Amino acid sequence: MGAMGIHQIDPALRWPYGFETEDDEEGQEAGADEDWGIDQEKRGRKRKRPRSAKRPRAATPSSDSASASASSSGPLASWNAVPKRPRSSAAKQGDTPRAGAVVVPSETEAAAAEEEEGTASSGGAGRKKAGWSCHQCHTAKRQMVECERCREEIYCTFCVKKRYPKLSVAEVRAECPCCRGICSCKRCSAKVKQSEPKSPALRICKSSRSAKKKKKADPSGVESTSVCNGVAPTEANDYSSLISSNGINNPSVKSDKIDTLDVRAQEESKIKHARYLLHYLMPCLTELNKDQMAERETEARNLGLKLSQMNVEQADCRNDERVFCDNCRTSIFDLHRSCPNCSYELCIACCKELREEDLQGGTCREELVSYPNRGFDYMHGGDPLPELINCEETDLSSCQPKSKKWVASRGIIRCPPTELGGCGEHVLKLRQIFPKDWLNKLEINASWLNKKLEPSNIVSGECPKCTKNENSRYAATRENSTDNCIYCPKSDNGEADDLKHFQSHWVKGEPVIVQGVLQKMPDLSWEPPHMWSEVHGSSTSSDMKNVKAIDCLSCCEVEICTQDFFNGYYEGRMYENQWPEMLKLKDWPTSNHFEELLPSHGVKYIDSLPFQPYTNLKSGSLSVSALLPDDILKIDMGPKSYIAYGRTQELGRGDSVTKLHCDISDAVNVLMHTAKVAPSEEQQDAIKNLKARHEAQDEKDCCGNFAINGNDKCHKSCVGANHASSLNYIDDEEGGALWDIFRREDAEKLKIYLRKHSKEFRHIYCSPVEKIFNPVHDETFYLTEEHKRKLKEEHGIEPWTFVQKLGEAVFIPAGCPHQVRNLKSCTKIAIDFVSPENVKECLKLTQEFRKLPKNHRAKEDKLEKIY
């Protein structure tokens, strides 16, 4: 793969997997040879290269030499010729060097004589092969020792004695310094000194000679292909020749006993991942480029120019800052419009909607839906405060004023009026963040690569295994459905096809549960007090002594002493009326401080996650966010902690829940610790009495009057929702959290149901839900067991419902609405990631989020595109 012709692509637009090219290495080697030649010339000695060791010039390779390399039994040395230099006065008269001759190291006359004698002999400690040279000094006219392990590298006896005095000739023959990872030549030393990149580029570090890449059948049935300077690869005689064609000089894999076969397998795996990425990213890239080209064509028509004549001005934007659309709050990654006067910026999606007179993004300026605080007694089934009984609630969500309509005139868009955030004076100018035609060239080059490479082993189809073995869990009872089971492997399976099996479910948008992840972290304590002590011990700031928690009954933020919170985690807390007080910490410590305050926990957690190509945020070869350049501003992907109280019994009001929502990226959530809090008999009696008060209040608020007929549908719905069964989750000692994950294709029916029954749900201060923007993104609903039963009855859909056990990791695909209820006090750690299979879904969700009101709470931390 090393010489697959990437030199034809614009260097600024290289695929993130940077395959090193032959041209690049030849230039480096030529520079090293030239520096070495100059040094030796200063010493006053040169020697002719043997006639049998002719090397073609890299600058002008002939067809004869190319064919010779294809038929040669050994690899051809890829060298650039060293320019001619004046003959040294110390050189012999008959030693006139030919053009391109390579100089040799300086040594004493005695050593030179000894060398000549060794070269003439055919036996002894080594052997000389025509056309081969020492890996260390590049000399060909010496007694040579070939490595029997890699059968690629050759060292002269002089370099062995001088550079590696601790190694004997026999030891070098058995395993050369390059294989041992101790080679001290300039090229190998330079590669060792280079710092390892955070994002793993697919770089194949070559040896001193160019080798033909050979085709090898992949165990999955997909052939690995490579192109060497446009020449088709030959059939491989054996796998060892493939291994010996390239030396892996990465410091991370250097050891005294390096396993070259495993390293090569890892590189081939990364190359397959690159093809896999291309398969899923190409359609998205094409669509993005199509939208940008449409805006460029519109601008060219407005200016009366041809597209080739138009020049778009560069935006003043640094890599470490993000640009937002001032109308819909969507991130801008390249082409957009900007006001030259007030710097108002508009994305091209809003530009298109303005021209079509159908502006959807940011149509409402701000979200001001009011949830009045009717008092503590009201939240527990009592009457509201007197001053609020006759208070009329007003929908305060103000949309774009009709008197200040913002439209485009003949395709030209002016800055909006001051009431809408602009200045209303100037025409918005087209600006670009990347260089000219950058995205278009990127698509062309990616398309070229996609055609050059054979398709990867794209997985699809049904999975009969999951209905027949222990690596599955029944989570739904849909009729005529093949996805009622969830793939549930063990973390330590170690089977080669685990990743492929995961992909076969992941590509269809199905969640996955992995068992036993916590067993990979036996040396760490995830007890909340222990974590708190580590955080508190590393910081003396006052803000760490108190934490801000969410009260699940009022859905409001409260401040509590950290120690008191963790005491309640184990022992429970209750209000004065003995109703359970459910608190939860979200993102504590804050995700940007997690690895700083808990470094051992953060590193070990990331390294222990299953399916590392997806979940390793720094080196995952299938994690799109991990492959982004290091010099840009990246969004925070975690780890994030969620510490919350829990109760097995479904209360119906004030449960410890994460309400229904939909993430714009993929996520994996691991249950790290649980603590069961058993209520006393006295508290159970109090809960029963309070739930009866809740029922009576629901009858009033649901139907909007104080006289309800017991046969009314609304009455039955409210009563049923409040007295839903808790099932038998109490019997599961290892269970910690109840998950409901809906299929993507069921999201629209779910929205219809929630809109219809919205007044049966309560939100802030236990007030009924009044305003809906998007039922899935508002995070105002939690479906009880009764609501899930009715949902299936009315629309024929149901979620995957399962209990997450201690140490299990739950993978949630982007775009799947889901909700969680804690059955015990739980500590969960989660990260976000972007898989190539779901990039298309991420872009779709971005369009949904941009249509929400500007100040919608879901927009604050979710509306971030990843390109």
Side-chain angles (χ1 to χ4, degrees):
M1 199 70 185
M4 51 181 298
I6 307 300
H7 55 280
Q8 300 178 22
I9 299 180
D10 185 348
L13 299 170
R14 288 185 185 270
W15 175 250
Y17 291 100
F19 301 102
E20 290 185 350
T21 66
E22 295 281 351
D23 294 344
D24 294 339
E25 286 219 356
E26 288 174 358
Q28 294 173 3
E29 292 178 1
D33 289 351
E34 186 172 354
D35 293 341
W36 174 76
I38 293 173
D39 178 63
Q40 300 306 316
E41 187 175 71
K42 291 179 179 179
R43 299 188 184 186
R45 180 173 181 192
K46 293 185 181 180
R47 180 171 55 83
K48 292 190 297 183
R49 181 175 58 236
R51 294 184 181 274
S52 59
K54 288 184 178 180
R55 289 174 294 205
R57 297 192 184 187
T60 57
S62 65
S63 58
D64 294 339
S65 61
S67 61
S69 65
S71 60
S72 175
S73 60
L76 176 67
S78 60
W79 293 63
N80 279 344
V82 179
K84 291 184 180 181
R85 295 188 180 90
R87 176 182 172 89
S88 171
S89 59
K92 294 182 181 180
Q93 184 176 357
D95 289 340
T96 305
R98 296 193 308 272
V102 181
V103 292
V104 298
S106 175
E107 60 242 12
T108 64
E109 293 297 331
E114 180 184 352
E115 174 197 339
E116 294 295 335
E117 293 176 2
T119 305
S121 64
S122 59
R127 63 183 181 275
K128 170 181 170 293
K129 291 190 178 182
W132 287 15
S133 60
C134 174
H135 176 84
Q136 185 84 28
C137 66
H138 305 164
T139 302
K141 193 178 178 182
R142 280 183 178 169
Q143 192 172 12
M144 299 296 181
V145 181
E146 180 185 11
C147 177
E148 293 180 351
R149 176 171 184 174
C150 66
R151 295 191 179 278
E152 175 68 18
E153 306 302 344
I154 302 175
Y155 287 79
C156 66
T157 55
F158 177 79
C159 287
V160 171
K161 295 176 182 178
K162 184 176 181 180
R163 303 290 184 182
Y164 310 100
K166 294 183 179 181
L167 295 178
S168 66
V169 173
E171 289 174 330
V172 172
R173 182 183 296 109
E175 188 175 21
C176 68
C178 193
C179 290
R180 297 172 185 266
I182 60 173
C183 181
S184 60
C185 71
K186 289 185 178 180
R187 182 178 60 261
C188 293
S189 300
K191 291 179 179 178
V192 172
K193 291 179 181 179
Q194 290 176 355
S195 59
E196 186 177 359
K198 293 182 180 180
S199 297
L202 277 177
R203 301 192 179 277
I204 301 177
C205 304
K206 303 179 187 60
S207 65
S208 63
R209 64 203 91 256
S210 170
K212 297 172 295 181
K213 300 289 290 187
K214 303 184 179 181
K215 184 179 291 188
K216 171 183 173 293
D218 187 88
S220 61
V222 179
E223 293 183 339
S224 280
T225 61
S226 61
V227 179
C228 183
N229 292 337
V231 180
T234 61
E235 293 294 332
N237 295 325
D238 54 70
Y239 191 74
S240 62
S241 62
L242 174 64
I243 299 301
S244 65
S245 63
N246 289 287
I248 307 299
N249 291 322
N250 191 315
S252 64
V253 299
K254 283 190 172 184
S255 63
D256 291 340
K257 299 292 182 182
I258 183 171
D259 192 336
T260 313
L261 183 62
D262 289 344
V263 172
R264 172 56 56 200
Q266 292 175 6
E267 292 300 324
E268 289 187 349
S269 175
K270 290 181 180 180
I271 293 169
K272 286 194 298 184
H273 291 170
R275 300 201 304 268
Y276 194 82
L277 279 163
L278 268 177
H279 175 80
Y280 287 104
L281 296 183
M282 270 301 301
C284 301
L285 180 60
T286 301
E287 188 65 25
L288 292 173
N289 190 35
K290 180 181 176 182
D291 294 339
Q292 294 223 61
M293 289 302 297
E295 189 66 23
R296 289 178 182 274
E297 291 170 357
T298 301
E299 179 73 0
R301 285 195 301 270
N302 292 340
L303 298 177
L305 300 173
K306 293 182 180 180
L307 188 60
S308 58
Q309 297 174 330
M310 189 181 65
N311 186 28
V312 180
E313 187 175 338
Q314 202 77 16
D316 184 14
C317 177
R318 302 190 309 272
N319 286 351
D320 59 349
E321 67 178 348
R322 292 181 57 230
V323 182
F324 290 91
C325 174
D326 287 308
N327 182 59
C328 68
R329 303 302 297 167
T330 305
S331 295
I332 294 173
F333 74 98
D334 188 15
L335 208 62
H336 63 285
R337 292 189 176 272
S338 178
C339 178
N341 181 44
C342 66
S343 299
Y344 185 95
E345 291 170 317
L346 193 69
C347 67
I348 59 176
C350 286
C351 292
K352 180 180 178 182
E353 292 174 354
L354 271 173
R355 295 191 186 97
E356 296 173 352
E357 298 184 3
D358 184 28
L359 184 61
Q360 299 182 41
T363 51
C364 291
R365 295 185 59 191
E366 55 186 6
E367 177 195 356
L368 296 173
V369 180
S370 175
Y371 284 98
N373 185 355
R374 295 178 171 91
F376 179 81
D377 191 50
Y378 175 81
M379 290 190 289
H380 291 282
D383 295 329
L385 295 176
E387 61 269 21
L388 293 176
I389 292 180
N390 298 320
C391 177
E392 295 183 3
E393 296 182 41
T394 305
D395 180 10
L396 299 177
S397 57
S398 59
C399 294
Q400 177 176 305
K402 295 182 179 180
S403 59
K404 296 293 183 181
K405 192 175 181 180
W406 184 26
V407 296
S409 176
R410 297 180 180 179
I412 299 176
I413 301 175
R414 302 186 69 86
C415 191
T418 55
E419 291 83 356
L420 300 180
C423 63
E425 297 180 0
H426 293 75
V427 174
L428 298 182
K429 301 295 184 181
L430 195 63
R431 296 286 185 268
Q432 62 186 14
I433 295 177
F434 292 122
K436 182 180 180 181
D437 294 333
W438 184 88
L439 194 64
N440 188 40
K441 292 178 182 178
L442 180 63
E443 182 190 0
I444 293 173
N445 291 336
S447 178
W448 181 87
L449 261 180
N450 205 24
K451 292 177 182 178
K452 284 285 183 182
L453 298 171
E454 288 187 5
S456 182
N457 49 334
I458 307 302
V459 291
S460 60
E462 304 299 335
C463 181
K465 296 182 180 179
C466 290
T467 58
K468 298 180 180 180
N469 62 26
E470 60 181 6
N471 290 338
S472 63
R473 186 177 299 178
Y474 277 99
T477 57
R478 310 181 190 96
E479 296 181 1
N480 302 321
S481 177
T482 60
D483 59 358
N484 289 330
C485 288
I486 293 179
Y487 178 45
C488 186
K490 294 181 179 178
S491 182
D492 57 352
N493 263 358
E495 297 182 6
D497 62 345
D498 277 353
L499 182 63
K500 184 183 292 187
H501 196 165
F502 166 78
Q503 291 173 330
S504 68
H505 292 275
W506 193 249
V507 74
K508 293 183 288 186
E510 299 177 9
V512 172
I513 307 170
V514 180
Q515 309 172 57
V517 176
L518 194 57
Q519 296 174 3
K520 292 186 175 183
M521 298 171 270
D523 300 331
L524 289 177
S525 172
W526 294 92
E527 294 271 354
H530 175 79
M531 297 170 62
W532 174 82
S533 64
E534 283 203 14
V535 171
H536 186 69
S538 60
S539 175
T540 57
S541 59
S542 58
D543 59 343
M544 292 308 248
K545 296 180 180 179
N546 296 314
V547 293
K548 293 181 179 179
I550 303 296
D551 186 321
C552 295
L553 181 65
S554 65
C555 299
C556 295
E557 191 176 79
V558 296
E559 188 168 333
I560 182 174
C561 173
T562 306
Q563 189 63 52
D564 292 342
F565 174 85
F566 288 127
N567 288 339
Y569 179 91
Y570 290 96
E571 303 169 3
R573 292 174 63 90
M574 64 180 72
Y575 300 105
E576 294 179 357
N577 57 7
Q578 296 192 23
W579 186 260
E581 181 183 5
M582 295 295 176
L583 301 178
K584 61 179 181 178
L585 290 182
K586 184 178 180 180
D587 195 11
W588 180 91
T590 55
S591 53
N592 56 334
H593 292 146
F594 189 96
E595 291 185 276
E596 176 185 341
L597 299 176
L598 296 168
S600 57
H601 289 73
V603 173
K604 190 64 176 177
Y605 173 81
I606 293 293
D607 292 342
S608 301
L609 287 174
F611 311 123
Q612 282 284 299
Y614 287 90
T615 56
N616 196 307
L617 299 179
K618 295 182 179 179
S619 61
S621 55
L622 288 175
S623 174
V624 177
S625 58
L627 298 172
L628 294 175
D630 294 330
D631 61 344
I632 68 169
L633 184 64
K634 298 182 181 181
I635 61 176
D636 180 22
M637 308 297 282
K640 304 173 183 178
S641 64
Y642 300 87
I643 305 175
Y645 300 175
R647 179 77 57 147
T648 303
Q649 179 186 11
E650 188 176 77
L651 300 174
R653 188 179 295 192
D655 284 294
S656 177
V657 300
T658 299
K659 295 189 175 183
L660 187 72
H661 66 288
C662 187
D663 292 325
I664 201 171
S665 62
D666 306 304
V668 55
N669 184 301
V670 185
L671 181 58
M672 311 302 295
H673 183 269
T674 61
K676 186 175 181 179
V677 179
S680 63
E681 292 185 4
E682 182 182 0
Q683 187 181 21
Q684 288 179 338
D685 292 337
I687 292 173
K688 183 178 180 180
N689 294 332
L690 287 169
K691 290 187 75 171
R693 295 184 65 188
H694 295 169
E695 175 188 341
Q697 187 183 57
D698 288 339
E699 294 176 7
K700 300 176 184 179
D701 293 349
C702 176
C703 298
N705 57 71
F706 294 89
I708 297 295
N709 183 350
N711 295 324
D712 186 82
K713 292 182 179 180
C714 179
H715 170 78
K716 289 183 179 181
S717 174
C718 292
V719 173
N722 199 41
H723 289 276
S725 171
S726 297
L727 302 181
N728 294 322
Y729 302 128
I730 192 173
D731 297 333
D732 193 343
E733 290 298 326
E734 295 183 356
L738 177 66
W739 286 74
D740 296 300
I741 303 178
F742 290 87
R743 299 184 297 185
R744 291 169 182 160
E745 56 266 33
D746 295 335
E748 291 304 317
K749 292 182 179 179
L750 177 61
K751 293 177 183 178
I752 294 173
Y753 176 86
L754 293 174
R755 290 185 186 277
K756 178 182 177 181
H757 298 275
S758 62
K759 292 188 180 298
E760 300 169 19
F761 296 85
R762 295 181 179 274
H763 193 37
I764 299 175
Y765 299 123
C766 290
S767 298
V769 174
E770 296 289 344
K771 182 69 176 179
I772 301 174
F773 296 101
N774 186 308
V776 171
H777 301 319
D778 290 348
E779 295 189 47
T780 56
F781 301 99
Y782 178 84
L783 285 85
T784 60
E785 298 296 331
E786 176 63 18
H787 273 297
K788 287 186 286 185
R789 184 192 66 79
K790 288 172 57 182
L791 175 64
K792 185 172 183 179
E793 183 181 281
E794 294 181 17
H795 296 279
I797 64 173
E798 66 172 301
W800 288 288
T801 300
F802 59 90
V803 174
Q804 182 185 21
K805 299 179 181 180
L806 183 65
E808 289 186 340
V810 178
F811 284 77
I812 311 101
C816 287
H818 58 282
Q819 61 180 25
V820 187
R821 182 168 72 86
N822 296 313
L823 306 176
K824 299 176 183 176
S825 293
C826 294
T827 299
K828 307 188 195 83
I829 310 292
I831 64 164
D832 299 324
F833 64 97
V834 180
S835 61
E837 299 93 333
N838 293 331
V839 169
K840 184 177 181 180
E841 188 67 26
C842 293
L843 297 178
K844 176 185 174 183
L845 288 169
T846 299
Q847 294 304 311
E848 292 185 14
F849 278 101
R850 64 177 291 274
K851 296 176 183 179
L852 296 174
K854 284 186 176 180
N855 295 338
H856 195 284
R857 60 184 302 171
K859 268 193 171 184
E860 295 177 3
D861 58 354
K862 288 185 178 180
L863 194 50
E864 304 197 33
K865 270 188 181 179
I866 298 181
Y867 293 100

